[in-house]
Amino acid sequence: MGEKSAVRPGGRSARVQRAVHEAVQALDEEVPRDKLTVPQVAERAGVTPSTIYRRWGNLKELLADVAAERLQPDAPVADTGSLESDLMAWAGVYMEEMRSTPGQQMLADTLGSASTEQRQRCLQAQQDQLRLILSRAEARGETPLPTVEALLDGIMAPLTYRLSYAPQTLSKACLERWVAATLR
Amino acid sequence: MGEKSAVRPGGRSARVQRAVHEAVQALDEEVPRDKLTVPQVAERAGVTPSTIYRRWGNLKELLADVAAERLQPDAPVADTGSLESDLMAWAGVYMEEMRSTPGQQMLADTLGSASTEQRQRCLQAQQDQLRLILSRAEARGETPLPTVEALLDGIMAPLTYRLSYAPQTLSKACLERWVAATLR
């Protein structure tokens, strides 16, 4: 697994990774999840099954890697003019995406991985986004500013908990309550 | 899956369930997780693989069921004399258990399930325990009392989030901060 962090963009290893990720995403739309196998993914990607086993260990860890990759933000965080509204916008987009059927599957794939490696990538991305939101608030002169840790514990944690345990109870009002309490 | 809630204790279905759960737990100590298969579990439990597929669908959902079962509290919540110390004791036990290697595996199995069924069982158990803690506080005359929902969002959520994303950052000081903030 250590190999992954040393992947050279455009190199052979990166091309294999991209082909395998694309094969998983394509098959995910065609094959019920519990019928998906490593040999199927390998055939679609044009690699040998042993390439996949060597690089990812097993199907579950491959799925977690694909999910963590897809969970990386693909748009910059919106600048809406205030810390409170930036946090609401950011958490609102995440809530909507993760409540969807593919979002619930991505979350389960990432949280179900036996190692914390994929989750650490997601956490890193969340921390980076929150740092950007806080730096904009600082530039606007907003004060006092919460820490990244307080934002994760106070907003992202209950959001993630409910996404896993009780997604039907989530609403914009929940987010408003958590954001207000964390900024208080 | 609906069959499960109608399992008659001591009936044939309950005996099959117990045998399969015990087989999973025994094999989990002998076989690396990614080598575990349904036919292996079936052989150890003395049932056919199709019994397992019919009842649980696939290995992942069987593992989530076993994990959710093991996550059910096996000791009554301690009565330590105050709401704050009851919450600290309750959350402290959960943190210690879930930071362990088997705890991390159980959490990943439960959170990785494609359906929310197993997580709802865990949530139900957590709500029941918190209701008991709150009813004792009420009997002691402690006031004002938080809601079960506020305790889950304020304490259980950041605890679970960090157990998944950054277990090494957890400490008793985190729990103290979350309990104090939620009771404030």
Side-chain angles (χ1 to χ4, degrees):
Chain A
M1 304 288 283
E3 185 199 354
K4 223 163 13 206
S5 48
V7 169
R8 181 166 52 84
R12 198 183 58 195
S13 194
R15 285 203 306 273
V16 165
Q17 178 172 314
R18 198 173 60 234
V20 171
H21 276 220
E22 284 171 0
V24 169
Q25 293 186 44
L27 286 167
D28 224 7
E29 292 175 9
E30 300 165 22
V31 181
R33 174 55 71 96
D34 57 350
K35 303 285 180 235
L36 196 65
T37 64
V38 166
Q40 264 180 324
V41 173
E43 193 191 346
R44 181 67 66 102
V47 303
T48 62
S50 65
T51 299
I52 294 181
Y53 291 121
R54 197 164 51 236
R55 190 179 178 101
W56 285 278
N58 58 55
L59 180 63
K60 191 168 153 184
E61 296 309 319
L62 168 58
L63 293 173
D65 181 32
V66 172
E69 184 68 32
R70 295 179 76 180
L71 283 171
Q72 296 303 304
D74 48 10
V77 187
D79 184 345
T80 62
S82 80
L83 175 57
E84 181 158 5
S85 60
D86 277 5
L87 290 171
M88 279 300 298
W90 173 77
V93 167
Y94 190 81
M95 178 174 80
E96 283 318 305
E97 288 178 357
M98 292 300 110
R99 270 207 297 203
S100 69
T101 304
Q104 287 276 301
Q105 184 67 67
M106 280 188 276
L107 197 62
D109 285 345
T110 312
L111 290 168
S113 164
S115 93
T116 58
E117 185 188 348
Q118 303 305 340
R119 290 188 284 282
Q120 271 161 1
R121 284 168 62 197
C122 297
L123 177 60
Q124 185 68 53
Q126 291 174 6
Q127 288 170 326
D128 289 346
Q129 294 188 305
L130 288 171
R131 269 188 215 106
L132 174 59
I133 289 174
L134 285 172
S135 70
R136 286 176 183 161
E138 195 179 10
R140 284 187 213 105
E142 294 189 59
T143 176
L145 293 177
T147 61
V148 168
E149 195 177 51
L151 294 173
L152 288 171
D153 287 339
I155 303 170
M156 204 51 167
L159 176 50
T160 305
Y161 182 81
R162 290 200 190 207
L163 282 166
S164 287
Y165 286 88
Q168 73 288 357
T169 67
L170 275 166
S171 66
K172 209 181 148 204
C174 294
L175 296 186
E176 284 167 347
R177 203 166 60 238
W178 298 328
V179 168
T182 306
L183 296 185
R184 194 184 301 146
Chain B
M1 303 290 281
E3 184 199 354
K4 220 161 18 201
S5 47
V7 169
R8 182 167 50 85
R12 196 184 58 195
S13 193
R15 285 203 307 275
V16 165
Q17 178 171 315
R18 199 174 57 236
V20 171
H21 277 220
E22 284 171 2
V24 168
Q25 293 185 44
L27 285 168
D28 224 7
E29 291 174 9
E30 300 166 23
V31 180
R33 174 54 72 94
D34 56 351
K35 303 284 180 235
L36 197 65
T37 65
V38 166
Q40 264 181 326
V41 174
E43 192 190 349
R44 180 68 66 102
V47 303
T48 61
S50 63
T51 299
I52 294 180
Y53 290 121
R54 198 163 49 238
R55 191 180 177 100
W56 285 278
N58 58 56
L59 180 64
K60 190 169 155 184
E61 297 309 319
L62 168 59
L63 292 172
D65 181 32
V66 171
E69 185 68 33
R70 296 180 75 180
L71 283 171
Q72 296 303 303
D74 49 10
V77 187
D79 184 345
T80 62
S82 79
L83 176 56
E84 182 158 4
S85 61
D86 277 6
L87 290 171
M88 279 299 299
W90 173 76
V93 168
Y94 189 81
M95 179 175 80
E96 282 318 305
E97 287 177 0
M98 292 299 111
R99 268 207 296 202
S100 69
T101 304
Q104 288 275 302
Q105 183 69 66
M106 281 188 273
L107 197 62
D109 284 347
T110 312
L111 290 169
S113 164
S115 91
T116 58
E117 184 187 349
Q118 304 304 340
R119 289 188 284 280
Q120 270 160 3
R121 285 169 63 199
C122 298
L123 176 60
Q124 185 68 53
Q126 290 174 6
Q127 288 170 326
D128 289 347
Q129 293 187 306
L130 288 170
R131 271 189 213 103
L132 175 60
I133 290 174
L134 285 172
S135 70
R136 286 177 183 160
E138 194 178 9
R140 284 188 212 104
E142 295 189 59
T143 176
L145 293 177
T147 61
V148 168
E149 194 178 51
L151 294 173
L152 288 171
D153 288 338
I155 303 169
M156 204 50 164
L159 177 49
T160 305
Y161 183 82
R162 289 201 193 208
L163 281 167
S164 287
Y165 286 88
Q168 73 288 357
T169 67
L170 276 166
S171 66
K172 210 181 147 205
C174 293
L175 297 185
E176 284 167 347
R177 202 166 61 237
W178 298 329
V179 168
T182 307
L183 297 185
R184 194 183 303 145

